[in-house]
Amino acid sequence: MMTAKFKLSDPVQFLALGFGSGLAPKAPGTFGTLAAIPLFLIFVNLPLTQYLAVLSVMALFGVHICGYTAKAIGVDDHPAIVWDEIVGFMITMIMIPVSATTIITGFILFRFFDIVKPWPISAVDKKLHSGLGIMLDDMIAGFMALIVMQLIFVVNW
């Protein structure tokens, strides 16, 4: 993966690259999602409204930082830009009881939806570009994984 155009000294690019995790030579999205786990653990004990407020700021800010970084390197959705994976995983884990099992399951489900890109993720991925396009497909993947997580861990059958 070419990294010469990235500037980790630029705080916006540093965040867009998932604190550098997106520069992994293989599976940068997976490493970006792994970088989300400590952030999730920092914010998980907030009241729901505060968690959602933090997540909203991260998502809105993500549109800017992903778009800025894509423009700076001249590649619309470079695989190293992984802030979208961080936000997607944080969405996956909304109101999910915290345990090693739920974190691993959430990780696997989010990566599944992000990689397979079923509709409507695939449609958004193809039609939207810039920061919004980078963020939105992973946010939808996060919501799809969240639905499955709710069905597995929250809904009382």
Side-chain angles (χ1 to χ4, degrees):
M1 177 181 310
M2 292 179 41
T3 59
K5 296 180 182 178
F6 292 111
K7 295 180 185 170
L8 287 175
S9 60
D10 179 337
V12 174
Q13 287 191 36
F14 180 71
L15 289 174
L17 298 172
F19 316 103
S21 65
L23 295 176
K26 300 277 186 192
T30 298
F31 281 93
T33 306
L34 285 172
I37 294 171
L39 279 179
F40 166 69
L41 293 172
I42 289 169
F43 296 117
V44 69
N45 290 320
L46 291 174
L48 179 59
T49 54
Q50 290 178 11
Y51 183 91
L52 294 175
V54 167
L55 185 53
S56 296
V57 169
M58 290 174 68
L60 290 171
F61 188 59
V63 171
H64 168 71
I65 67 170
C66 292
Y68 169 91
T69 302
K71 187 174 181 178
I73 63 165
V75 179
D76 185 51
D77 191 359
H78 193 286
I81 299 173
V82 295
W83 186 259
D84 50 332
E85 274 81 9
I86 291 172
V87 171
F89 179 78
M90 299 279 292
I91 291 169
T92 299
M93 300 303 291
I94 294 170
M95 298 186 334
I96 301 297
V98 180
S99 70
T101 300
T102 59
I103 291 171
I104 292 167
T105 304
F107 177 88
I108 292 168
L109 284 170
F110 172 70
R111 292 305 300 142
F112 170 79
F113 285 111
D114 187 31
I115 293 166
V116 174
K117 296 191 185 318
W119 186 91
I121 300 167
S122 57
V124 169
D125 187 51
K126 290 175 187 164
K127 292 181 182 180
L128 282 180
H129 302 285
S130 74
L132 180 61
I134 293 169
M135 288 297 298
L136 194 55
D137 68 313
D138 286 66
M139 291 174 64
I140 296 169
F143 281 114
M144 293 177 85
L146 170 62
I147 291 167
V148 177
M149 291 290 285
Q150 290 287 325
L151 291 172
I152 295 171
F153 296 107
V154 179
V155 175
N156 294 318
W157 295 94

